[in-house]
Structure formats: structure tokens, C-alpha cells
Amino acid sequence: MPAQIAVPRVLSPTSSLLRILVDRFSTETSPIQIFKDLMMAVLISFLGLAMIGSIIAVPTISPGNLGRLKVIEGSPLVITCAAGDENNHVMLILYWNGTEVQAMGPPKRTINATARAVIYQLRLVARSDNGSVLNCQDDSKPPSDTDRTSNTVTLIVSYAPSYSAVSDQSVNPVEGDTFTYRYLIRADPQPDSFTWTRDTVPLSSTERITLTVDSISISSVSRSDSGVYVVTASNVAGSGSANFTLNVYFSPEFVTLPPKVQMLAAGSVFTFNCTPSAANPPPSSYVFERDGVNITEG
């Protein structure tokens, strides 16, 4: 009698059949019959593995890499739901954060029978869509079917830089003071480059001027620093700009006076003009003195 054959437990659709064959090998005395039974076992095992592969029919969603889909704000979004072996591609539905996209507004839905897929052309992507979760679902299958739903894809939305000025900032510093102007910047990803200009002329940081992607600081500001300043930042999604006008205040410097000596006839009218040659803003008041004493009207 042939020796008993010991095999480990096989966790597959053909395990019971293999156990029966092992029992037959232990009792069968004909080598030809043993060979026939062995060939039949191999064939049935192969068919069993093929059956296992055919029932893995989960729908798929694309594009997406490791469950993430990177998109740029303002770009159209196209999603493809493809059928598994046993999925009904006509019944493949795209879900956005658990809601059927049809309920979010009518997308353009195209059925590709050859590829057994459904293509959704959705609205333009906004930054508020960041973190949204998408998946495809075969609605012809019951909710309890584990092969009904595809893997999920999370939207990662990139958007160009945008600026907003920090509130309560003066753009009218007094000459000689230190001037600083700041912005709040929003961008994803963060800007990889930025530029500053004054009256369209490029600026760079110096000992007196410090430039960053969201601020400018000028020590000992002077009237020549007045002008229109523009900052521009860029990332992979695009660029954004902001501007402000700097108007440096300075006090009156030179005053044009009448001649020191004037000969006038008694009783005539004397006119005394006082004109500043430079001031920003223009003088709002004047004080006249005679022999060190203020002259008042009257």
C-alpha cells in the first residue's frame, strides 16, 4: 500500500476536492489511475483560481495617484469610472463626498461602451474643493456587496497667490521715519518666487530696503521713495499681485520772502507774501511775526 500523503490545509475553493484526491491517493493502487486523478486535480485547481480572479470585479476611478488627485484651481475636472469584470458600466455613478454628482448640478456624463467606462466632465475646480473625496459606485449591486464601490480619491487643489493688505497701515510716513507695509498672502503651495517694483522699476533688498514675499520695510524713508509699489508672487498654479501708493510727507523747507528793505509811503498798503518752495502736504496754516511777536488779524 502506498504511503499516506500529508498536506497542509488549503484555503481555496478547491480545498475540499484536494482533500478527496489525497484520500484516493492513499487507497488507489493503480499508477495510471493516480496519474489521471492528479491531472484532473490540477485542471480543477486552475479553473478554481480563474473563478477567484473573475469575481474580483471592483470598479476603478481615475486619475489619481496613491489616493490623491492634484488639480489647479480654475481647471476642469474629468473623472473616469471603469467597470470591473462583473460591473455594469452603465450603472457606474460618481460620488462626491458621499453625494451623487448628478445632485450637485448636471455634469457631462459620457458612456464609453468599448472601454466599459463612464466619463464625467465636471465644473471648474475651486480652492473650497480641497479635501473633497470622490469614488465610483456600481448602483446595480446591492449596498451590502463589497465589490460595489471603488477606492477613494482625495482632491488636492493648488491655487495661485492672492494678497490682502493688513488693516490700519499708513502710506503717508514722515520723511526720516521707518516705513513698513505688510500683506496677508494665501497660496497653495507657497510661492516659489516674488518680485517688487516701484513705478515699474525692479527693486532689490539693500541696507535701507528689506523685501519679502509679503512685506517691504524702508528705513529713513525720503520723498524720493514716493511712488507706486507692486509685489508679485508665483507658484505652480499661477501668480498674483498687489500694489499701494507711498506718499512721503515732509515739512516746508524754503520760503520766498519779499526784499528785506522796502521803501513805502506813509498810509500806503503793504503786502507781504510768504510762499513755501516745497512741502507735502501743502501748509495748512501760516504764522507771521514782527520783531519776534506774532501778528494777528485786525
Side-chain angles (χ1 to χ4, degrees), residues 225-277:
D225 293 318
S226 296
V228 178
Y229 288 75
V230 178
V231 58
T232 302
S234 302
N235 64 9
V236 294
S239 61
S241 300
N243 67 84
F244 69 90
T245 300
L246 177 62
N247 186 23
V248 179
Y249 284 174
F250 52 92
S251 59
E253 290 186 342
F254 303 103
V255 177
T256 302
L257 298 173
K260 292 183 178 181
V261 178
Q262 294 191 42
M263 302 299 293
L264 301 172
S268 61
V269 177
F270 171 66
T271 301
F272 187 88
N273 293 317
C274 182
T275 305
S277 61

Side-chain angles (χ1 to χ4, degrees), residues 213-240:
V213 69
D214 59 1
S215 69
I216 180 173
S217 181
I218 305 175
S219 63
S220 190
V221 67
S222 67
R223 66 194 70 180
S224 62
D225 293 318
S226 296
V228 178
Y229 288 75
V230 178
V231 58
T232 302
S234 302
N235 64 9
V236 294
S239 61

Side-chain angles (χ1 to χ4, degrees), residues 175-186:
E175 191 169 41
D177 290 348
T178 295
F179 168 76
T180 300
Y181 199 83
R182 295 184 177 88
Y183 285 101
L184 296 175
I185 185 171
R186 294 176 176 84

Side-chain angles (χ1 to χ4, degrees), residues 81-202:
C81 294
D85 292 339
E86 291 187 351
N87 291 116
N88 182 353
H89 68 279
V90 177
M91 294 298 294
L92 288 177
I93 304 298
L94 178 64
Y95 283 79
W96 184 303
N97 290 333
T99 301
E100 183 181 345
V101 294
Q102 295 282 22
M104 302 172 58
K108 183 178 180 182
R109 185 173 184 269
T110 304
I111 297 177
N112 186 331
T114 303
R116 303 188 68 244
V118 178
I119 302 172
Y120 284 85
Q121 291 179 287
L122 307 177
R123 56 175 171 77
L124 301 183
V125 178
R127 66 188 65 180
S128 58
D129 296 326
N130 189 56
S132 296
V133 178
L134 287 74
N135 69 283
C136 298
Q137 184 171 290
D138 181 358
D139 277 7
S140 67
K141 293 188 175 184
S144 60
D145 195 328
T146 56
D147 293 340
R148 183 174 189 252
T149 304
S150 73
N151 61 302
T152 60
V153 169
T154 301
L155 291 184
I156 308 298
V157 181
S158 299
Y159 49 90
S162 61
Y163 283 97
S164 58
V166 176
S167 60
D168 300 327
Q169 295 186 103
S170 172
V171 291
N172 303 118
V174 175
E175 191 169 41
D177 290 348
T178 295
F179 168 76
T180 300
Y181 199 83
R182 295 184 177 88
Y183 285 101
L184 296 175
I185 185 171
R186 294 176 176 84
D188 191 359
Q190 290 300 306
D192 48 37
S193 64
F194 69 93
T195 60
W196 279 90
T197 63
R198 181 183 66 227
D199 295 335
T200 71
V201 178

Side-chain angles (χ1 to χ4, degrees), residues 43-61:
L43 176 61
I44 293 177
S45 297
F46 177 81
L47 292 176
L49 293 175
M51 291 174 61
I52 293 175
S54 67
I55 63 175
I56 300 177
V58 180
T60 60
I61 183 171

